Amino acid sequence: MSTCAKVSRDLEEPLAGTAATARTWLLVEQPGPWGAAALTSSHLDPVLGRALERAAEGTGVRVALIRRPGRHADCRKVAERQVYAAHTAPENVWLHSATTSDPGQLLTLDFAALGRGLSGSFDTALDGRPHAGDPLALVCTNGKRDRCCALLGRPLAAELAASGVSGAWEVTHLGGHRFSPTLLVLPFGYAYGRAGAHAVKEVLHGVREGRVVTEGCRGSSAWERPGQAAELAVRTAVGEDAAGALSVVRTEGAVPHWEVTVAHTDGRHWLVSVGQGASQPPRAESCGSALGSPARMDVTAVRELSRTGAQGTTGPATR
């Protein structure tokens, strides 16, 4: 059977710069079936779902539904739901958790403040607190959006849970169906594609040690896509795996070319040239869609700047 994920893998489509963009994630447990637009086509009250979409719009917060891996009983009444909020910007990474019996409480959150990295309204409204458990491994399994997410994502989520990964959850949508199985890891917010259980466990082990595994990485959700590709290119060029070491501090340009400045906490800076190309030959971005040429991020140069590089002086190229 030919699927969008198989075609993408066979064509070796690059993963870097394809992660969903969200500086803050709000994750709400909703068991049972999900439709394609899960916030308004699940057993969550669709009026509440639409209100959450409106509240999050333009704030940098992305709302998604989660459920535990396994069979999904069609239960309409949920006594208590798990809720997580996570901010992924390197200078202020956090993951807080709470439970609620009234999902309507979510509308009392200050979404603009959450998007800026302030957790106060989450903790106040939901009695939230810093998450003390394992990092979260969120696997996209929403087959109503694309069959690859169900065919490839659900077995991965089930295998992780069965092997004792307590932070394993299914999630409604991470974008990039053709990279299934897709995964988001919190608190750091790095997304992965074509993930296998062994690789995911390596990623989670890295998270516990404060490291980023770059193999199979699509990028950090904290950055726009040129920044995602640029940051991963710098990590590869200099062998940096510390999770909070790099930040995207400036992006100049527009489609199809950007100059991205990536900064290290030790004071080093790099200027990364990123171009947007069209993937060839044409392929479907999702199962059942028409053939197209998805945009891809191509890094063409990584140049380390001198200590005065912010004013335009460059040192020798590192790539």
Side-chain angles (χ1 to χ4, degrees):
M1 176 177 61
S2 180
T3 63
C4 65
K6 183 180 186 305
V7 171
S8 178
R9 184 188 295 269
D10 289 347
L11 293 174
E12 299 181 339
E13 187 175 354
L15 293 168
T18 66
T21 300
R23 291 177 71 83
T24 301
W25 292 83
L26 180 63
L27 306 169
V28 183
E29 184 177 8
Q30 179 56 61
W34 297 333
L39 280 177
T40 54
S41 56
S42 69
H43 291 334
L44 184 71
D45 180 355
V47 174
L48 173 60
R50 281 189 290 271
L52 289 172
E53 289 177 335
R54 289 193 297 268
E57 187 174 355
T59 65
V61 178
R62 183 170 177 133
V63 186
L65 303 183
I66 57 175
R67 63 191 178 196
R68 284 297 187 184
R71 294 178 61 86
H72 305 298
D74 195 355
C75 55
R76 292 181 175 269
K77 186 172 179 59
V78 182
E80 193 169 65
R81 302 165 194 265
Q82 182 70 49
V83 185
Y84 295 102
H87 190 65
T88 62
E91 71 278 4
N92 183 30
V93 170
W94 50 260
L95 172 61
H96 286 211
S97 64
T99 58
T100 182
S101 57
D102 177 13
Q105 289 180 306
L106 297 169
L107 294 178
T108 68
L109 297 176
D110 185 337
F111 281 81
L114 285 174
R116 295 194 303 271
L118 304 176
S119 62
S121 70
F122 182 85
D123 294 344
T124 299
L126 302 174
D127 193 24
R129 61 199 64 194
H131 176 64
D134 288 339
L136 304 187
L138 305 159
V139 182
C140 184
T141 63
N142 192 351
K144 294 295 186 181
R145 293 191 69 95
D146 192 281
R147 61 181 177 176
C148 287
C149 297
L151 292 173
L152 301 174
R154 290 191 66 185
L156 173 61
E159 184 175 354
L160 292 174
S163 65
V165 177
S166 62
W169 291 87
E170 298 184 8
V171 67
T172 47
H173 185 47
L174 298 177
H177 316 296
R178 65 192 184 279
F179 305 123
S180 295
T182 60
L183 174 86
L184 176 73
V185 178
L186 295 175
F188 297 134
Y190 285 85
Y192 292 83
R194 305 181 188 129
H198 177 74
V200 172
K201 291 175 185 178
E202 289 294 320
V203 169
L204 295 175
H205 180 69
V207 172
R208 294 184 193 99
E209 295 183 341
R211 295 185 295 106
V212 175
V213 173
T214 57
E215 185 175 358
C217 190
R218 300 174 62 194
S220 166
S221 72
W223 316 124
E224 297 294 333
R225 292 184 175 183
Q228 295 172 13
E231 189 230 24
L232 287 177
V234 172
R235 286 191 178 278
T236 300
V238 303
E240 180 57 76
D241 66 358
L246 299 178
S247 293
V248 175
V249 296
R250 184 180 300 110
T251 300
E252 297 180 324
V255 177
H257 180 78
W258 299 266
E259 295 290 336
V260 181
T261 304
V262 178
H264 195 291
T265 52
D266 66 9
R268 287 179 292 167
H269 288 71
W270 294 265
L271 189 65
V272 184
S273 299
V274 182
Q276 178 174 300
S279 298
Q280 296 294 337
R283 79 287 313 271
E285 291 195 48
S286 61
C287 289
S289 68
L291 295 181
S293 300
R296 53 183 284 169
M297 296 292 122
D298 295 314
V299 172
T300 56
V302 179
R303 302 186 297 277
E304 184 172 352
L305 303 175
S306 70
R307 294 292 175 171
T308 58
Q311 285 74 47
T313 304
T314 61
T318 59
R319 177 173 173 165

